[in-house]
Amino acid sequence: MGVDLIADMVPSLKGKVSDEEWQTRVDLAACYQLVAHYGMSDLIFTHISARIPGTEDQFLINPYGLFFDEISASSLVKVDIDGKVLDETNFKINPAGYTIHSAVHGARHDVACVLHTHTRAGMGVSAQKQGLLPISQHSLMFYNRLAYHGYEGIALNLDERERLVRDLDDNIAMILRNHGLLTVGSTVSEAFRRIYYLEKSCQAQIDALAGGAEIIIPPKEVCETAVSQFTDLSDRNTLEWDGLLRILDRKGSNFRH
């Protein structure tokens, strides 16, 4: 099923939803395509969700069965916190995606976007007992802001939601043990920036440990200084998001459909 065929079977919702919802749809579709562009997708699995602006119990998630580089603004599926599909659509949603994302959106009203990946480096670090080490500048963005959640199998058990929320607490990211990575953000762009740098952090750690040399860990006070700098500066930066959208435009992406 090519991009053109998907566009043909998915009527545009532009002008049929609020301007705020449409902008969220465009940003979320762009996020899906950027995750694919940077090699962080896993066929049709993993998921990203975004809260419908002005609501506490409605969010958008991917149509199950489409690859991330096929997802457009109009193909995203709107669901409520109970998993009910709210708009007419030809697509279903991933049950595991619903479990994880409904848990976070239901508990963290400061979170507008939840992003989950199964990458090679992310899964590698998730299986390392010590977790993410503060050994790169990128990893210091997550110093004392990163949670861990133990593996319970494929996330189909709704009872797991309580433990996911408990473990995430008020952190900006979480490593799902033996599973993958998760970030949250007050915007779609913020959640994407965080997964991009969390993934880079995991790649750097896998590479450093593979070299077999002794690892240097900065002093605690340096780590605390670095994370405060990231909190003050990087969390507010949106310049790269505009550039990322230009990448998709140059590729002829359909994310705005």
Side-chain angles (χ1 to χ4, degrees):
M1 184 182 296
V3 169
D4 290 340
L5 289 177
I6 293 169
D8 288 343
M9 68 178 290
V10 178
S12 176
L13 294 178
K14 188 173 184 179
K16 299 178 182 179
V17 297
S18 69
D19 291 345
E20 293 79 11
E21 178 177 331
W22 181 250
Q23 185 59 55
T24 300
R25 285 177 171 273
V26 169
D27 286 342
L28 183 57
C31 189
Y32 272 105
Q33 298 216 12
L34 287 165
V35 166
H37 176 78
Y38 284 102
M40 293 187 283
S41 59
D42 184 19
L43 296 180
I44 62 171
F45 303 100
T46 76
H47 12 81
I48 316 167
S49 62
R51 188 188 305 278
I52 301 292
T55 74
E56 292 187 351
D57 63 348
Q58 298 177 14
F59 60 92
L60 299 166
I61 199 164
N62 54 311
Y64 195 29
L66 295 190
F67 280 21
F68 281 15
D69 62 356
E70 297 175 316
I71 292 174
S72 66
S74 298
S75 68
L76 290 162
V77 180
K78 186 194 301 189
V79 298
D80 66 15
I81 211 72
D82 296 318
K84 179 182 177 182
V85 176
L86 300 177
D87 288 334
E88 184 176 346
T89 177
N90 294 319
F91 299 106
K92 297 180 180 180
I93 63 170
N94 183 335
Y98 164 72
T99 299
I100 293 171
H101 292 259
S102 64
V104 179
H105 284 298
R108 289 277 302 271
H109 295 160
D110 61 310
V111 168
C113 181
V114 183
L115 202 167
H116 170 49
T117 61
H118 302 156
T119 60
R120 181 175 175 179
M123 290 188 292
V125 172
S126 79
Q128 294 178 341
K129 188 173 183 178
Q130 78 278 2
L132 185 68
L133 296 171
I135 59 174
S136 66
Q137 179 164 278
H138 289 343
S139 68
L140 291 174
M141 181 186 297
F142 303 95
Y143 187 75
N144 288 337
R145 305 170 82 193
L146 178 66
Y148 294 85
H149 175 68
Y151 186 62
E152 299 187 22
I154 297 174
L156 299 176
N157 182 359
L158 294 181
D159 291 343
E160 187 177 356
R161 292 188 295 183
E162 180 180 351
R163 294 181 290 279
L164 280 162
V165 168
R166 177 201 64 201
D167 292 340
L168 178 60
D169 197 23
D170 62 353
N171 292 289
I172 66 170
M174 184 159 66
I175 291 180
L176 306 174
R177 291 294 194 180
N178 310 102
H179 185 175
L181 307 177
L182 182 145
T183 61
V184 299
S186 60
T187 62
V188 173
S189 62
E190 187 173 65
F192 178 80
R193 182 190 316 116
R194 288 170 174 171
I195 202 69
Y196 179 88
Y197 287 117
L198 184 56
E199 173 66 15
K200 287 288 187 182
S201 302
C202 291
Q203 291 172 353
Q205 179 164 319
I206 294 295
D207 290 346
L209 294 180
E214 184 176 357
I215 300 298
I216 298 172
I217 296 181
K220 179 175 181 288
E221 59 270 20
V222 173
C223 295
E224 291 174 345
T225 295
V227 72
S228 68
Q229 292 171 324
F230 276 119
T231 303
D232 291 341
L233 299 175
S234 297
D235 281 358
R236 297 198 306 267
N237 184 27
T238 60
L239 292 175
E240 76 272 45
W241 185 248
D242 293 337
L244 290 165
L245 297 187
R246 291 195 298 272
I247 289 174
L248 295 181
D249 286 335
R250 286 196 296 272
K251 293 177 64 176
S253 166
N254 71 327
F255 74 96
R256 289 189 176 90
H257 169 76

